[in-house]
């Protein structure tokens, strides 16, 4: 087979060079500055204004990786990267992604590539069992539930919300056939924690429904009593509560909404409970963390990101539902060009009905290549000048200098300007807080110790300046 | 760096083996049966019920690729694959995806990885220039427009619709501040061809707006007159037309809506015109096909899939907008943990505001590795028993046996059961039609000739049986 610009023989050679480049990059990532020095617009000046008439040689392209790309990369897999949340990476997952790219099938239906669909269903059952999810969430051979790989947790939140919207409209119309969909939707109200990820609010915006934020307790968790009071208030106003997105491991501080209080309320009120455990979910495989998931039995859907912690490269956000009919019902469209012979048999899953995009990659391949995860433990040494701003449960530490928000903003600015480590802030109860998330697979305790020493030193400099 | 299960040294070895496996797979893909023989549920019985306690050896995993995965793969890159539409594949794009996986950054904001964001903006400018898009769609250094890589065309359609919904609500509220968003949305109406992809209707469903299908002419294209009549009717009813999704290269038959008639109507009526050229778009790089894009100057947004034809592996769906503020305005959320120093400067793009998911991969890398595409030409030989069901413009031929729908359904069933080639049907003007899409990069004219001979032979057998 001859290809444009590169034949199989050249791919064999270049592919092996690339494998070595990747191994070199990851083995030596510590030596690269974690956050780049470039200014906005840096890249445009480094390459031509238009695509060259004659393609560059492959050697030129490779040279451009170090000349053009790498100077502008934020190295998420550096052991000095403590920003946002981790994104996973492992060699086996990379091998699987290579294979997935080569097979290059688009798995929107069972027929479009049976292996792509079936491996996904079975892998999600495996993973669900590892998390000890209730049987209802598994597909098995005759289950009503099952799992799907979404690209991101944002999509899982949205898909669950759309399924809930559609289920509620159907339920209400069954009792009151005279009510229009528009009228019902205009009365719907969804809920989430005031600590929930911005994508939850965005899901409400996309779906065109009201979204209310529930105030959290001193641990930044949603409690049943607060939620109940809000529901009563909204029902008195004639609104229809229909969806609650609980968070396990919030983005600002890794707080856990109180599922065992909230779940029964949702069930009694016929409110769809979705659990967004994007960050924390991976930990539930460890028996010592599994109690944090108690209450999942009340949920309609549950989601977490193996691509954060489970050594599976982005994107791989796993979602389970108890009743697949609910989710399919929200989306199903069956044009003739997507129909196939096995469509109506119960064993067949057409994942296009489970997600926002039509097309999908063969992502389950990377799930069957990982091995068991290792739980992280972070030792934050005591320093009287600092305070811890939220419980440390998993791999995130929220802290600040005792003092003003301005002081802490300056501290963070200096830390990030020094370019040794990289972290991002959050706001907790009106206070500006620094988030230290252990991210890279290669982070060892000496890196964390170094990072703390570095932060303490910058803090000392800052305090000294202020005293003068 | 030690990794769980595989260190860098082993990755160097396994990665090179995988490169060879991929090259072998693609060089010999013709020998694999294009469509698998497996029955639904085949895979579950081939692997354990639960994840093994002890991880398999890597050798076992590799053996399972041929034992478990490959028997269930529909080989989209086989030269005997003529179903759906093509999905692109090239060795340079695969190398780029390997690198993207290794860098493994999540590019939701400029700061999260400046190179990831900036390369995307510049590559979309390059590609826009190759398509000779109006200047308004380019970002440049001071433009109001620009491009973004979405995962799929479905997402582009939805994002454009949501931007249009939000723009219209704002415009109406500016004039009539007393009108609520809910009230306005309940009056909105979106339009598309009755030949449009199912994802267009689905976008309306997700956004909770009315979607009307416009009847097409004898070439399956939407014409200005039909559209105008529909608009007048809807406005008389008190509805608010706000969005029209034009299709260039419909999925059933590769028809082209008449942009030069439709564009001025949309502009006059302040209707957002989005162009979905998912399949056809790649062809517009060739000067002989560029006239098919005339009228794009009237559009607010334009999208096509380099991952169909431009040798860039899935997923890579490029979208341009004239006013980025419109699209950002529909979604913008700025929690503290995603803010960064350069946020408010004009040069900086935070692509999370341009899309449904938050996270995004470094997809532009594969765009700078491709070389120029080759236009396809299909020679369908005349056979008196068959009729061509729609104009053949690009790489799709819609045909059927002269006769009943049942006859053609049987013909397709036999073709696909024979497992030599694979195609899917569509419906055109109430008739069941076979779609022959030239898909694989490795398809040469002898494959197409063989495929036609094969189809003709099956048709002969079928006709003979019917005569007896």
């Amino acid at each position: 087979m001859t290809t444009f610009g590169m034949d199989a023989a050249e791919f064999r050679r270049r592919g092996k060079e690339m494998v070595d480049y990747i191994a070199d990059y990851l083995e030596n990532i510590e030596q690269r500055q974690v956050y780049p020095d470039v200014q906005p617009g840096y890249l445009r000046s480094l390459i031509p204004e238009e695509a060259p008439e004659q393609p560059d040689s492959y050697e030129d392209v490779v040279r451009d990786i170090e000349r053009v790309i790498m100077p502008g990369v934020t190295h998420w897999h550096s052991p000095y990267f403590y920003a946002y949340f981790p994104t996973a990476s492992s060699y086996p997952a990379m091998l699987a992604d290579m294979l997935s790219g080569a097979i290059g099938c688009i798995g929107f239906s069972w027929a479009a590539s049976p292996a792509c669909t079936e491996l996904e269903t079975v892998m999600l059952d495996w993973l669900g069992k590892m998390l000890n999810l209730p049987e209802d969430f598994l597909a098995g051979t005759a289950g009503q539930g099952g799992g799907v790989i979404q690209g991101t947790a944002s999509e899982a939140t949205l898909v669950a919300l759309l399924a809930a919207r559609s289920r509620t409209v159907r339920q209400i119309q069954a009792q009151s056939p005279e009510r229009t969909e528009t009228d019902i939707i205009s009365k719907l109200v969804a809920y989430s924690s005031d600590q929930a990820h911005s994508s939850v609010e965005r899901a409400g915006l996309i779906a065109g429904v009201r979204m209310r934020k529930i105030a959290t307790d001193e641990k930044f968790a949603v409690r049943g009593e607060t939620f109940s009071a809000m529901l009563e208030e909204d029902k008195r106003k004639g609104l229809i509560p229909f969806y609650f997105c609980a968070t396990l491991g919030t983005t600002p501080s890794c707080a856990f909404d109180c599922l065992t209080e909230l779940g029964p309320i949702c069930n009694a009120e016929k409110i769809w409970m979705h659990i967004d455990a994007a960050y924390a979910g991976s930990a539930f495989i460890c028996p010592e963390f599994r109690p944090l998931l108690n209450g999942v039995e009340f949920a309609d859907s549950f989601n977490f990101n193996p691509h954060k912690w489970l050594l599976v490269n982005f994107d791989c956000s796993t979602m389970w539902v108890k009743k697949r009919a609910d989710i399919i019902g929200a989306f199903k469209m069956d044009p003739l060009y997507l129909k196939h012979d096995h469509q109506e048999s119960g064993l067949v899953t057409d994942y296009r009905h489970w997600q926002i995009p039509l097309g999908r990659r063969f992502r389950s391949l990377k799930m069957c290549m990982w091995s068991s995860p290792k739980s992280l433990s972070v030792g934050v040494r005591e320093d009287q000048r600092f305070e811890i701003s939220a419980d440390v449960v998993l791999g995130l530490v929220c802290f600040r200098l005792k003092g003003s928000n301005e002081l802490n903003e300056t501290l963070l600015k200096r830390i990030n300007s020094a370019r040794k480590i990289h972290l991002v802030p959050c706001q907790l109860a009106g206070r500006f807080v620094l988030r230290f998330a252990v991210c890279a697979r290669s982070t060892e305790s000496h890196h964390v110790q170094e990072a703390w020493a570095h932060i303490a030193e910058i803090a000392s400099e800052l305090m000294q300046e202020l005293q003068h």
Side-chain angles (χ1 to χ4, degrees), chain A residues 244-265:
Chain A
F244 169 57
C245 177
T247 310
L248 296 183
T250 60
T251 310
S253 69
C254 198
F256 291 77
D257 289 343
C258 191
L259 291 189
T260 49
E261 291 176 9
L262 298 159
I265 300 173

Side-chain angles (χ1 to χ4, degrees), chain A residues 207-359:
Chain A
V209 297
R210 213 176 263 99
M211 171 76 74
R212 292 197 63 191
K213 292 186 179 180
I214 312 171
T216 46
D217 70 4
E218 75 293 349
K219 287 179 179 295
F220 307 106
V222 173
R223 304 299 299 269
E225 216 169 289
T226 328
F227 185 38
S228 286
M230 212 159 178
L231 289 177
E232 288 316 311
E233 183 191 324
D234 287 343
K235 287 194 290 183
R236 269 198 305 275
K237 287 186 195 154
L239 298 177
I240 309 168
F242 81 107
Y243 177 77
F244 169 57
C245 177
T247 310
L248 296 183
T250 60
T251 310
S253 69
C254 198
F256 291 77
D257 289 343
C258 191
L259 291 189
T260 49
E261 291 176 9
L262 298 159
I265 300 173
C266 288
N267 288 181
E269 303 277 347
K270 289 189 187 154
I271 293 170
W272 183 295
M273 181 160 84
H274 173 68
I275 300 174
D276 171 13
Y279 168 60
S282 305
F284 305 150
I285 292 180
C286 309
E288 66 272 32
F289 290 117
R290 177 58 177 76
L292 292 168
L293 186 58
N294 288 350
V296 66
E297 60 276 17
F298 301 110
D300 295 280
S301 51
F302 166 70
N303 163 252
F304 83 97
N305 291 348
H307 70 229
K308 283 199 164 65
W309 252 18
L310 270 188
L311 304 181
V312 183
N313 289 39
F314 185 86
D315 46 354
C316 180
S317 181
T318 48
M319 177 188 192
W320 290 263
V321 286
K322 266 191 194 153
K323 292 214 163 42
R324 54 166 74 196
D326 285 336
I327 211 164
I328 295 169
F331 290 121
K332 198 162 181 174
M333 303 255 156
D334 264 331
L336 188 55
Y337 49 82
L338 295 179
K339 278 198 202 301
H340 53 86
D341 286 353
H342 291 293
Q343 200 144 15
E344 297 310 321
S345 74
L347 270 174
V348 171
T349 302
D350 287 341
Y351 274 124
R352 71 175 181 281
H353 303 307
W354 295 54
Q355 59 175 20
I356 303 293
L358 172 67

Side-chain angles (χ1 to χ4, degrees), chain A residues 442-462:
Chain A
S442 56
T443 304
E444 297 177 18
S445 60
H446 77 88
H447 291 115
V448 176
Q449 281 157 24
E450 259 178 71
W452 271 110
H454 178 65
I455 292 169
E457 196 187 316
I458 291 178
S460 298
E461 285 166 18
L462 179 61

